[in-house]
Amino acid sequence: DVAAGLTAAAGKGRTGENYLLSGEFQAVYDMFRLTASAAGRRGPALAVPLGLIRPILPIAEFIGNRIGSDLVSGAAIAALECSPRIDNSKAVRELGYSARPAVETIRDLVGFFVNTLILRTDTSTNPTITGNNVQHILRQYSIGNSDQCRNR
């Protein structure tokens, strides 16, 4: 989607203008359910409001550090709280940009991660996927940069 949008911006975009190339907004809970479904897993049964997580965050981070996971951290919660809604109407109007449905994008992203982990992981020792594995892949492919949220 973004590659097509960049190509359209190069051909149809106006000099000096910016175009936001986004897809449809998804609540985190819905994204988790779609991701689990794409991976052939059962998704979360319920959503825990972030307001309930904040008070127990120091304990959750301590436990996560002890078991080698950074899935629940102050940085992760801050990124979820930021969750900006991106208005792509200018790109749609001026470039003809359109994004695929979120379910297709999530399915393809899950396939990418599964294939990347399988190709780069020694599976003979029955490895587990932890937040650290996922964070490494995100950093390696520059996915999930949250600089846009740091100055809020």
Side-chain angles (χ1 to χ4, degrees):
D1 298 345
V2 173
L6 291 172
T7 302
K12 300 177 188 175
R14 293 179 286 136
T15 301
E17 292 296 316
N18 294 314
Y19 300 94
L20 301 176
L21 306 175
S22 66
E24 63 183 288
F25 179 81
Q26 290 289 313
V28 173
Y29 175 75
D30 295 333
M31 255 191 334
F32 284 160
R33 301 226 9 129
L34 287 171
T35 302
S37 175
R41 303 288 184 157
R42 187 172 47 103
L46 59 104
V48 178
L50 291 176
L52 293 178
I53 294 175
R54 272 268 171 229
I56 64 165
L57 188 56
I59 296 166
E61 282 185 307
F62 176 77
I63 293 169
N65 288 337
R66 301 287 280 177
I67 63 171
S69 173
D70 59 357
L71 290 176
V72 178
S73 67
I77 299 304
L80 291 174
E81 288 173 332
C82 175
S83 187
R85 292 188 184 237
I86 308 299
D87 178 7
N88 69 1
S89 61
K90 181 178 172 184
V92 169
R93 184 177 58 255
E94 294 184 20
L95 306 176
Y97 174 74
S98 66
R100 296 176 301 152
V103 67
E104 289 180 28
T105 303
I106 291 170
R107 184 192 62 227
D108 290 349
L109 184 60
V110 167
F112 168 78
F113 280 131
V114 167
N115 290 331
T116 299
L117 287 172
I118 289 172
L119 293 174
R120 297 179 185 267
T121 303
D122 175 8
T123 58
S124 65
T125 60
N126 194 20
T128 59
I129 297 174
T130 67
N132 293 330
N133 297 122
V134 174
Q135 289 301 321
H136 170 74
I137 290 169
L138 291 175
R139 281 190 298 273
Q140 181 178 354
Y141 291 97
S142 300
I143 299 171
N145 185 342
S146 61
D147 286 341
Q148 63 189 353
C149 299
R150 290 190 182 130
N151 297 324
R152 290 183 176 239

